[in-house]
Amino acid sequence: GGYWLWHRSNVSWAKSQVQRIDQLAKAGKTFEAFDLASSVQDYIPGDPDLAALMPTISDTLTVNSEPAGAQVYLKRFQPDENGAFPDRQSIGTTPITGFRIPRGTQIVYLEKDGYAAVETIISSRLIKFANNLVWNAVPPVEVSRKLVEAQVVPDKMTFVPGGEYRLASSTRPSTDKVKLDDYFIDKYEV
């Protein structure tokens, strides 16, 4: 009897949190909404209201590295009320496919012994008008990186893999692309 009462209490609590998750999502607090949704999902799996909210507060992350086996960390780029950023969290080793993450700006770290560490910023925000979803222009987040042996990377530099890059500007939108070779850039230049 005690387990049933405890479980029923948790299910009731979880159902009562769905409205709060919706409020947080509408306020643009996707990290908080995601954390709360993650904590209630176990108690109300398949809840249609929660399932409808998940695409607005979360996305999926796929991470690949060459060679595979890099440790992957994720750090939210949102300070707390005291201005401190959270610690990074280990999410596994490459390859990682379809890992559920909150929408918002985050830093992905890839680390493998003998190779230069990689840091990259990801973001998967929805385009909204008022409190309504207008357009999800961002596909699921994918990070693929060629790791470079640590001894070939100059001090305070970072490796940028060659390939085709789309030229981007907020004042002159373009679909033009340019092919670049591999290069190194000062880690703090941008």
Side-chain angles (χ1 to χ4, degrees):
Y3 171 78
W4 183 84
L5 287 174
W6 172 80
H7 179 71
R8 191 75 200 130
S9 172
N10 284 333
V11 169
S12 177
W13 169 82
K15 286 182 178 181
S16 73
Q17 297 306 303
V18 174
Q19 183 178 5
R20 177 71 180 137
I21 295 166
D22 185 41
Q23 291 168 345
L24 289 166
K26 286 179 178 172
K29 297 181 176 184
T30 55
F31 290 131
E32 294 90 339
F34 177 83
D35 291 342
L36 184 55
S38 296
S39 68
V40 304
Q41 271 186 321
D42 290 342
Y43 300 112
I44 52 173
D47 181 87
D49 295 326
L50 183 59
L53 285 169
M54 289 308 287
T56 67
I57 61 172
S58 68
D59 208 336
T60 57
L61 172 66
T62 296
V63 185
N64 293 294
S65 67
E66 183 187 323
Q71 184 66 39
V72 181
Y73 300 90
L74 197 59
K75 181 178 183 176
R76 295 175 179 184
F77 199 71
Q78 178 179 339
D80 63 19
E81 61 277 352
N82 298 320
F85 286 90
D87 293 333
R88 64 187 195 163
Q89 302 294 315
S90 174
I91 62 168
T93 57
T94 59
I96 295 173
T97 304
F99 185 82
R100 179 77 46 198
I101 60 170
R103 289 192 181 273
T105 304
Q106 301 177 72
I107 304 171
V108 176
Y109 300 85
L110 286 85
E111 297 176 0
K112 184 172 176 74
D113 286 343
Y115 293 88
V118 172
E119 296 176 22
T120 190
I121 295 176
I122 60 171
S123 183
S124 65
R125 294 258 181 218
L126 295 174
I127 298 173
K128 296 179 109 180
F129 180 74
N131 284 329
N132 299 311
L133 173 64
V134 175
W135 183 40
N136 183 7
V138 183
V141 181
E142 185 171 336
V143 174
S144 294
R145 292 294 185 266
K146 175 181 165 185
L147 303 179
V148 178
E149 292 181 9
Q151 73 258 16
V152 301
V153 178
D155 190 37
K156 297 181 183 171
M157 301 291 276
T158 191
F159 173 74
V160 179
E164 192 170 84
Y165 288 86
R166 185 175 63 82
L167 301 175
S169 167
S170 60
T171 58
R172 281 184 70 195
S174 171
T175 58
D176 294 341
K177 295 181 179 180
V178 62
K179 182 166 174 36
L180 299 175
D181 294 327
D182 293 347
Y183 64 95
F184 293 99
I185 190 169
D186 186 294
K187 187 172 182 177
Y188 304 102
E189 185 168 327
V190 195

